[in-house]
Amino acid sequence: MNEQQQTLWQFMAGQSDKLLSQTLQHVGLTFISLLFAIAIGLPLGILIARKRKLSGTVLGIAGVLQTVPSIALLGFMIPVLGIGAKPAIVALLIYALLPIIRNTYTGIIGIDQHVKEAARAMGMSKSQILLKVELPLAMPVILAGIRTATVINVGVATLASFIAAGGLGEFIFGGISLNNTNMILAGAIPAALLAIILDALLSLIQKMDFKKLRKALYVFPVVILILGGFYALPTAYGSTLTAGFTPEFMGRQDGDLGLKSTYGLKIHTIVISDAVMYKAAFAKELDVISGYSTDGRLKAFDLKILDDDKHIFPPYYAAPIVREDALNKFPELEKTLNLLAGKITDSIMTDLNYKTDYLHQQPERVAKDFLISNGLYKAAKNGHNGTVRIGSKIFGEQYILAEMYSMLIKGNTDYDVATKTGLGGTKICFDALTNDQIDFYPEYTGTGLLVLLQPNLKIAKEMAHDKEKTYNYVSTEFEKKFKIKWLKPIGFNNSYALMMRQKQSKELNVNSISDLKNYLDKN
Amino acid sequence: MIELKGISKNFGDTRAVKQVSFKVSEKETLVLLGTSGCGKTTTLKMINRLIEPDEGQVLINGENVIDQDPDMLRKGIGYVMQNIGLFPHYTIAENIALVPKLLKWDKEKIKSRTEELIQKLHLPESTLTMFPHELSGGQQQRVGLARALVTDPSVLLMDEPFGALDNVTRASIQKEFKALEELKRKTIVMVTHDVQEAFELADRICLMDKGEVVQIGTPKELLYKPVNDFARNFLASQRLALEFKVVVIQDIWAYLPKESLKDGDSHSADLSVWEAMELLRNNNHSDLRITCSNQENKTINFEQLTKGFNQFQNAQVHE
């Protein structure tokens, strides 16, 4: 099962069902939110064109909303609106708002004053002036705003997959976490095409003369409604419980694929980002989620790990992986990084994660506290003997580890440190490493095996449950293939796990994945 | 009939219009004349409430405009402006049909009225389906006039209607405008800073300065009986040309020689001195036969005309 050897076309043909439904969802999301954005933005634009004093405030607020990072915005939405379509539409709407309000405003105030005066002098009422003079004359500018908003929305809608709202982001982010270029392109190419096509269509409308424009304006809302309607296509619910899995989990043999083949688990599944998954489970939006066994939010949100009684989740022992030329360049590095080897157990890691995720302590402080209590902390030497670049993936645990390594290097060697944290996923992190953008980052044996090496099924199965075997295999293979060295494991095993709310697990008497399957089969 | 009773308007601390009062009788053309910033346009706009006066009253046909719905009021008053203000997204036909549509006229009526107007205003029928930007400035101004006239309002307000046109186009449109039957039936208030234009078109002129009325009177009264230095100086630079236009043959009848030598075409004594001079020069007439209001005939040549005019001038000064 080596997907690298599949052509993009084969991948797209094989996934055509998914591709079509994701594209429709994407178009639907874009246009539903656009529709709402127009419904809100247009009147607001008109209002501030009438009451100019308000314009600074309204445009300012819309501008600030525009600058909120999309993921953060989606995160804010969860407690209020849950997951799925609603928060995604609201978030997209917020991003589309500014260009629409601003262009409506500029369009209207830019109209020739004499034309407006003539309209008044002819005895047109305020609403007649608005509908027959101001809006038609401002229309090219307003359409330009709608065009900008549409293109922005096509882009931002890829993020909708983080909160289980579907769209082409499922492929894109799934592909990034799975190191599957075909999958990324299968999402990215249609998304880009969509943006280009919609932009071109809207520019056509924008360039029409007034006569054609008048006709087009009758058709335009209908088209938006129809396209928006794609999203309302009913989704079939297959079970009483709902699962939320990350895009990465969805495509992995030791993830959803394994759950299906080994356990025969059939559950209504939606794709969601790791960042919001736990919160959604806590808020009872989701019943079963794919998580990490050392995640601090387990403790914070009172979740229970379901026993993996058929052992599909291989061990994920964390260890720093370093490029060999970096080890040569920084002779002190290996010794220093190994100071942490074996020091952090599962429960310690969960506790550290809990401190950052739930108690909201800074990763830096958590790292320092830990090093001090274990006698590993030394004040920084402020050396200038070259700079070691540390990478980390975009989740809490990796931030903490990156901080610890940073402090260890600064305290024990004369090297300086640059951290590049928050790299969005395995592929990005690994590519940064092989392309000499970072020198090392903490990786997990299971990920190294299944995502980066992707050996055939037989080897994978053989390795899967033996910590030592997996570690030895990835060490030798990485050395051979990439000239990258696995240092000693840090100690904890952060494997995949299925989890439920403690309370629900007790109520349903579901303690293992097999229990879950039996429960679902009965209901 | 339009009557302004002591209207004033302040913009912030500036008193733009101070206690302006005048009456415009039915079918009369009153021209508000003055330099930029003298308050003439503000005064005009207070008549159809584009600007609301701070003090005073405006009566149209005896009704106070404040008591009327402003939109309805404006629909009943024609308005022509310097920048024309045609709707760029409407065809010429739609621009003209604007007010009738607001008044819910039926289509046939709008169509026949539009066709009638463009004929009177010498616009080719093909322009009806065009958009304003496809027309020349002169044609656009005619459309602006058609739009104001389409419902045949009894009152017409014009704010520098020919201000945006070049001199040649302006002169020809002014001439057409003067000859237009539709306009002779209307009570018109027009704003201009162009003295020539005011003298050309006005029945009476209201000369304004710093928001106040300086003098109201016929062009002749303004020329020969200025109330103060401002009024006198305002006209000084173009005085001779204006006098030629204002004085008609009838005025100088007494100073013309009596003999009537020949028969033939005769002109009315309403001819201005200027027009008579033009006729004498252009038509290669050695002399011109003129019939006075009491049917008396006189034949004059260029010399006799200028001599008579000079004697009339002297008599005015000595009066």
Side-chain angles (χ1 to χ4, degrees):
Chain A
M1 203 202 79
N2 194 338
E3 281 173 328
Q4 294 291 320
Q5 278 150 20
Q6 250 182 337
T7 64
L8 172 63
W9 180 244
Q10 281 169 332
F11 180 86
M12 286 169 97
Q15 304 273 342
S16 61
D17 284 0
K18 255 191 185 171
L19 188 61
L20 181 68
S21 74
Q22 287 186 13
T23 310
L24 288 184
Q25 278 177 341
H26 206 91
V27 173
L29 266 179
T30 306
F31 279 92
I32 275 195
S33 52
L34 191 65
L35 187 71
F36 285 118
I38 294 172
I40 297 172
L42 202 62
L44 264 179
I46 294 167
L47 177 77
I48 59 173
R50 287 278 153 82
K51 302 202 186 326
R52 304 270 170 96
K53 277 184 192 162
L54 292 176
S55 65
T57 320
V58 171
L59 290 175
I61 292 172
V64 167
L65 286 175
Q66 188 89 359
T67 62
V68 177
S70 14
I71 282 285
L73 192 62
L74 291 171
F76 290 140
M77 297 284 163
I78 304 254
V80 190
L81 294 169
I83 55 167
K86 263 189 282 170
I89 290 170
V90 173
L92 286 175
L93 156 99
I94 286 173
Y95 284 113
L97 221 42
L98 180 67
I100 294 178
I101 299 178
R102 193 180 44 204
N103 282 37
T104 306
Y105 171 73
T106 348
I108 290 179
I109 63 167
I111 295 170
D112 186 355
Q113 282 305 314
H114 301 108
V115 172
K116 276 194 220 174
E117 188 182 48
R120 275 184 73 211
M122 293 304 120
M124 295 178 94
S125 66
K126 274 198 174 151
S127 59
Q128 283 166 335
I129 294 176
L130 178 69
L131 292 175
K132 294 187 174 178
V133 181
E134 289 177 317
L135 284 184
L137 286 178
M139 202 41 76
V141 184
I142 297 176
L143 281 175
I146 293 178
R147 188 175 151 198
T148 314
T150 311
V151 176
I152 291 178
N153 268 9
V154 171
V156 180
T158 54
L159 299 176
S161 63
F162 281 141
I163 48 168
L168 290 162
E170 286 187 13
F171 272 159
I172 298 176
F173 295 105
I176 290 176
S177 358
L178 291 169
N179 190 17
N180 182 338
T181 317
N182 284 337
M183 195 187 244
I184 300 176
L185 291 178
I189 292 175
L193 284 178
L194 214 54
I196 294 170
I197 292 170
L198 291 174
D199 190 51
L201 285 179
L202 284 164
S203 86
L204 276 185
I205 298 182
Q206 204 186 332
K207 282 181 193 136
M208 282 180 184
D209 62 29
F210 285 120
K211 211 178 250 173
K212 285 187 199 151
L213 187 62
R214 238 184 275 177
K215 279 178 205 147
L217 282 181
Y218 290 112
V219 186
F220 191 56
V222 180
V223 173
I224 292 189
L225 264 178
I226 292 173
L227 290 176
F230 283 160
Y231 199 72
L233 294 174
T235 38
Y237 279 71
S239 65
T240 47
L241 297 180
T242 302
F245 295 154
T246 60
E248 179 162 358
F249 189 82
M250 285 300 284
R252 290 176 74 137
Q253 200 50 48
D254 60 330
D256 191 49
L257 300 177
L259 284 177
K260 281 203 179 98
S261 59
T262 311
Y263 285 96
L265 189 73
K266 284 189 202 105
I267 185 163
H268 170 63
T269 308
I270 53 181
V271 181
I272 188 168
S273 147
D274 164 71
V276 296
M277 186 171 62
Y278 294 89
K279 217 179 250 182
F282 183 67
K284 299 188 184 165
E285 296 277 348
L286 297 173
D287 302 302
V288 181
I289 59 171
S290 65
Y292 298 103
S293 53
T294 57
D295 200 297
R297 289 169 292 191
L298 261 176
K299 196 168 161 185
F301 292 131
D302 201 18
L303 299 174
K304 178 188 169 65
I305 295 181
L306 298 185
D307 188 21
D308 175 19
D309 48 343
K310 289 186 183 169
H311 307 290
I312 61 160
F313 300 131
Y316 277 71
Y317 284 94
I321 61 174
V322 199
R323 255 197 351 276
E324 279 185 354
D325 59 343
L327 286 177
N328 295 332
K329 193 173 161 196
F330 306 110
E332 300 279 291
L333 189 61
E334 180 166 359
K335 195 176 76 192
T336 314
L337 296 185
N338 278 338
L339 287 173
L340 213 56
K343 289 284 192 308
I344 305 178
T345 62
D346 283 10
S347 60
I348 295 175
M349 195 66 237
T350 308
D351 188 52
L352 296 177
N353 282 331
Y354 173 74
K355 280 181 181 155
T356 52
D357 294 341
Y358 192 67
L359 301 180
H360 303 299
Q361 296 179 359
Q362 291 299 317
E364 194 185 343
R365 184 182 145 196
V366 175
K368 192 172 175 181
D369 288 350
F370 172 82
L371 291 183
I372 290 173
S373 64
N374 284 273
L376 290 169
Y377 184 79
K378 284 183 190 163
K381 285 181 170 177
N382 294 323
H384 296 291
N385 200 5
T387 301
V388 182
R389 295 161 301 171
I390 309 177
S392 89
K393 298 185 196 179
I394 184 162
F395 51 90
E397 179 171 299
Q398 291 252 332
Y399 285 110
I400 300 174
L401 293 175
E403 285 297 340
M404 286 185 186
Y405 284 129
S406 167
M407 286 170 194
L408 286 175
I409 293 170
K410 281 181 189 164
N412 291 295
T413 71
D414 286 327
Y415 309 137
D416 202 1
V417 172
T419 48
K420 302 197 173 172
T421 50
L423 299 171
T426 299
K427 182 170 171 54
I428 293 173
C429 234
F430 187 70
D431 283 350
L433 184 67
T434 51
N435 289 303
D436 194 16
Q437 297 299 307
I438 54 176
D439 295 315
F440 76 92
Y441 75 92
E443 186 52 281
Y444 306 86
T445 52
T447 312
L449 178 71
L450 294 166
V451 179
L452 296 172
L453 289 174
Q454 301 186 349
N456 61 43
L457 264 183
K458 205 177 131 232
I459 297 182
K461 272 231 163 92
E462 202 180 306
M463 300 292 156
H465 314 299
D466 192 319
K467 176 189 162 187
E468 293 299 324
K469 265 188 188 169
T470 311
Y471 181 79
N472 291 336
Y473 182 78
V474 292
S475 292
T476 32
E477 289 296 314
F478 266 59
E479 193 111 35
K480 247 192 327 203
K481 274 192 177 169
F482 309 118
K483 300 229 175 304
I484 285 172
K485 187 166 182 186
W486 283 76
L487 303 186
K488 288 184 190 160
I490 303 167
F492 63 92
N493 171 19
N494 186 5
S495 77
Y496 266 130
L498 281 198
M499 35 189 103
M500 290 176 86
R501 289 184 298 282
Q502 289 276 13
K503 200 172 161 213
Q504 192 181 33
S505 136
K506 262 182 207 144
E507 275 168 15
L508 305 179
N509 199 19
V510 170
N511 294 309
S512 66
I513 301 178
S514 294
D515 288 349
L516 178 67
K517 178 191 155 36
N518 292 336
Y519 172 81
L520 285 169
D521 287 349
K522 271 184 250 158
N523 289 281
Chain B
M1 199 194 67
I2 304 168
E3 186 173 4
L4 270 63
K5 287 183 178 170
I7 60 165
S8 300
K9 180 72 192 176
N10 304 324
F11 294 120
D13 290 336
T14 339
R15 219 158 147 71
V17 173
K18 296 173 213 166
Q19 293 291 326
V20 167
S21 302
F22 57 73
K23 267 190 197 175
V24 193
S25 4
E26 208 140 316
K27 297 179 191 170
E28 189 188 18
T29 301
L30 178 84
V31 171
L32 299 176
L33 178 66
T35 48
S36 309
C38 73
K40 54 191 191 304
T41 297
T42 308
T43 306
L44 183 83
K45 285 181 179 174
M46 285 192 279
I47 297 175
N48 67 352
R49 293 181 63 188
L50 282 176
I51 296 174
E52 302 278 2
D54 293 331
E55 285 166 36
Q57 287 183 329
V58 177
L59 305 174
I60 294 180
N61 298 325
E63 279 185 72
N64 192 336
V65 295
I66 287 297
D67 301 333
Q68 301 174 43
D69 172 63
D71 295 336
M72 275 318 289
L73 172 78
R74 291 180 200 134
K75 280 185 200 114
I77 299 176
Y79 191 81
V80 184
M81 51 203 272
Q82 176 176 2
N83 294 282
I84 311 169
L86 295 181
F87 293 179
H89 58 307
Y90 276 23
T91 62
I92 299 310
E94 288 166 331
N95 264 294
I96 297 175
L98 186 71
V99 182
K101 268 192 184 153
L102 296 179
L103 294 171
K104 302 204 163 57
W105 284 18
D106 67 64
K107 275 188 186 165
E108 276 308 307
K109 192 175 167 193
I110 296 178
K111 195 167 173 252
S112 63
R113 176 64 177 152
T114 307
E115 280 165 7
E116 182 190 348
L117 270 173
I118 63 160
Q119 219 158 26
K120 282 183 182 169
L121 291 163
H122 310 294
L123 283 162
E125 196 142 332
S126 60
T127 53
L128 282 180
T129 53
M130 293 182 175
F131 285 90
H133 69 91
E134 298 170 286
L135 268 56
S136 71
Q139 284 176 319
Q140 289 187 24
Q141 193 51 276
R142 285 165 216 253
V143 177
L145 194 58
R147 181 176 66 178
L149 291 176
V150 64
T151 57
D152 201 9
S154 63
V155 173
L156 191 61
L157 305 179
M158 309 179 98
D159 183 9
E160 304 257 10
F162 311 115
L165 304 177
D166 61 87
N167 285 338
V168 178
T169 317
R170 182 182 336 174
S172 73
I173 290 200
Q174 276 173 358
K175 209 164 276 173
E176 276 176 40
F177 177 89
K178 225 175 147 181
L180 202 62
E181 213 43 55
E182 293 252 354
L183 290 173
K184 292 185 180 157
R185 291 190 261 121
K186 308 217 174 297
T187 310
I188 299 175
V189 180
M190 185 175 118
V191 163
T192 185
H193 63 272
D194 180 343
V195 178
Q196 293 278 358
E197 183 170 278
F199 275 67
E200 190 83 37
L201 302 174
D203 292 320
R204 283 192 303 147
I205 293 173
C206 171
L207 181 64
M208 292 183 69
D209 182 41
K210 294 180 184 130
E212 284 174 302
V213 175
V214 177
Q215 184 172 6
I216 301 181
T218 61
K220 212 181 281 179
E221 283 169 339
L222 252 73
L223 259 183
Y224 294 111
K225 291 169 190 162
V227 292
N228 60 15
D229 284 348
F230 177 83
R232 190 173 299 115
N233 294 336
F234 198 83
L235 306 174
S237 64
Q238 308 176 59
R239 188 160 187 100
L240 186 63
L242 295 175
E243 282 170 349
F244 281 141
K245 279 187 178 158
V246 160
V247 178
V248 294
I249 303 291
Q250 186 78 53
D251 296 324
I252 59 169
W253 195 252
Y255 308 103
L256 295 177
K258 282 227 167 66
E259 67 269 31
S260 174
L261 295 176
K262 57 177 209 178
D263 296 331
D265 290 342
S266 187
H267 292 271
S268 143
D270 288 341
L271 219 56
S272 71
V273 173
W274 182 264
E275 286 164 325
M277 284 170 154
E278 277 185 327
L279 282 173
L280 281 165
R281 179 148 299 171
N282 293 346
N283 298 1
N284 284 330
H285 281 194
S286 54
D287 39 26
L288 203 61
R289 189 158 177 266
I290 300 203
T291 309
C292 167
S293 54
N294 62 9
Q295 301 304 313
E296 192 185 351
N297 288 322
K298 282 184 179 176
T299 304
I300 52 168
N301 59 26
F302 201 90
E303 260 170 53
Q304 289 164 331
L305 181 64
T306 45
K307 197 176 163 195
F309 176 75
N310 281 336
Q311 285 171 336
F312 170 79
Q313 287 284 77
N314 289 337
Q316 296 300 314
V317 175
H318 293 260
E319 218 172 59

